[in-house]
Amino acid sequence: MIIFKYADQLARYIQQQKSAGKQIGFVPTMGALHSGHIALIDQSKKATAVTVCSIFVNPTQFNNPNDYQLYPKTIEPDIVKLEAAGCHALFLPAIAEMYPQGTSNLEQYDLGYLETLLEGKYRPGHFQGVCQVMNRLLTMVLPHKLFMGQKDYQQCMVVSRLLQLMKSPAELIACPTLREADGLAMSSRNMRLSPENRQKATTIYKCLTLIKQESNQGTTWPVVKEKATKMLTDAGFSIDYVELADAHTLQPATATMATIYQGPRVALVAAFLGDVRLIDNMLLNEA
Ligand code: AMP
């Protein structure tokens, strides 16, 4: 695996690969890699000839400075995992390489209502930061295919919108969420959970499973939401949201949606255990 710290060197490498007729797959990450990230590398390797991964903890997407300061950094084991997975190139830029003019007065994107609901509502500015870094990364890598996780469901929708705004031909491939044996969605932030909270964290998965079962049986959303909320608060979570939404638009459920709505739906949860914020989601119409 070749490691690049500078965008111009990465661009030269990508250009060489493209000149040789190779398709480029791209997996952007913030590091502290786990098997969920590696599954994206595997998907990219299956679908394209050259897989490029980036590791960059993007300061502009953190609305909470404490979360940014405490974000886990494990670069050496990350490199070992990427090597083992057969990743071809790693882009590891410094902040100044990504934001040579600094991080104030960066461009803003028209993300419509995606910016004001769910993650957008609870993490103001977060998706602008995601777009600022993704615009730079996509311009540097110019991938044919972009691999991202459904774990960050709304982020996939935002990046899909960004690709339209950029008129990028890159194809976004949303990959399934990898989970621990007890159902907890793999996440770099899980490392920050105390052993006790790590046990409790599985409640999010149990709660999503309950929402799926009850909604598919026709229980109305307000009833299901109350049960789900109680489950999480009883386990010690402080909840940002528990929502049921249209899987294509993310518009929230109406009171009767579970019984009359036939289209695809997704249940989404964001909640804190101590100072660690966890998010997860589950499609209701899938087996
Ligand atoms: P992050 O490093 O958290 O920014 O994540 C980098 C990419 O990995 C994003 O596209 C995430 O959605 C994806 N990802 C994170 N956790 C998982 C998981 N458990 N399963 C699959 N993909 C994931």
Side-chain angles (χ1 to χ4, degrees):
M1 182 174 73
I2 312 175
I3 300 178
F4 297 97
K5 289 190 167 176
Y6 301 103
D8 56 348
Q9 292 173 0
L10 173 71
R12 221 169 297 139
Y13 167 80
I14 303 265
Q15 194 45 51
Q16 283 165 2
Q17 302 303 315
K18 286 189 169 178
S19 301
K22 295 183 180 168
Q23 292 250 317
I24 310 293
F26 181 39
V27 180
T29 80
M30 298 205 298
L33 300 182
H34 49 67
S35 305
H37 295 117
I38 299 305
L40 301 183
I41 301 285
D42 292 342
Q43 291 275 332
S44 173
K45 285 198 68 193
K46 272 188 208 142
T48 63
V50 176
T51 292
V52 179
C53 176
S54 64
I55 295 181
F56 178 64
V57 184
N58 173 35
T60 77
Q61 73 186 69
F62 285 84
N63 53 314
N64 175 347
N66 202 37
D67 190 27
Y68 177 56
Q69 290 306 328
L70 295 176
Y71 200 85
K73 290 176 194 71
T74 59
I75 193 62
E76 276 154 30
D78 288 354
I79 291 171
V80 171
K81 287 178 191 169
L82 289 172
E83 291 269 13
C87 182
H88 299 96
L90 169 61
F91 184 44
L92 203 54
I95 293 181
E97 185 67 7
M98 295 301 284
Y99 300 108
Q101 319 295 331
T103 54
S104 36
N105 299 318
L106 293 174
E107 64 283 3
Q108 298 288 306
Y109 298 85
D110 176 9
L111 303 174
Y113 67 85
L114 283 177
E115 218 183 330
T116 52
L117 56 74
L118 301 172
E119 288 300 281
K121 177 173 168 191
Y122 286 92
R123 300 187 68 189
H126 167 64
F127 286 133
Q128 290 297 330
V130 168
C131 288
Q132 286 152 358
V133 75
M134 284 302 296
N135 184 326
R136 282 162 179 71
L137 289 169
L138 288 165
T139 306
M140 292 166 182
V141 180
L142 295 172
H144 296 89
K145 295 182 197 284
L146 171 63
F147 297 85
M148 300 188 78
Q150 264 174 25
K151 152 104 178 8
D152 297 283
Y153 195 91
Q154 193 172 0
Q155 174 170 269
C156 286
M157 293 180 65
V158 165
V159 170
S160 169
R161 168 94 184 122
L162 175 69
L163 292 172
Q164 282 175 0
L165 292 171
M166 290 175 67
K167 299 189 173 36
S168 165
E171 180 190 357
L172 173 61
I173 296 158
C175 304
T177 302
L178 252 77
R179 298 181 179 282
E180 304 288 355
D182 64 0
L184 176 67
M186 291 182 184
S187 164
S188 305
R189 287 186 176 87
N190 294 349
M191 286 180 198
R192 291 186 44 221
L193 293 167
S194 66
E196 192 194 343
N197 280 347
R198 169 63 191 82
Q199 295 287 316
K200 292 179 179 170
T202 188
T203 309
I204 294 192
Y205 178 70
K206 291 183 187 149
C207 169
L208 288 167
T209 307
L210 172 105
I211 294 173
K212 179 171 177 166
Q213 284 168 352
E214 296 247 350
S215 298
N216 286 345
Q217 284 164 11
T219 313
T220 58
W221 174 237
V223 174
V224 183
K225 182 170 178 161
E226 200 179 315
K227 282 190 193 176
T229 303
K230 184 170 178 341
M231 240 174 124
L232 287 168
T233 40
D234 285 355
F237 279 91
S238 163
I239 300 172
D240 271 357
Y241 58 81
V242 177
E243 275 307 340
L244 180 67
D246 180 294
H248 293 318
T249 65
L250 270 195
Q251 291 298 335
T254 59
T256 52
M257 189 168 167
T259 44
I260 59 160
Y261 186 76
Q262 295 302 312
R265 289 161 295 158
V266 59
L268 307 110
V269 170
F272 284 89
L273 262 183
D275 66 346
V276 183
R277 188 174 185 274
L278 301 173
I279 63 169
D280 198 356
N281 65 80
M282 192 177 282
L283 286 163
L284 265 52
N285 311 61
E286 283 183 347

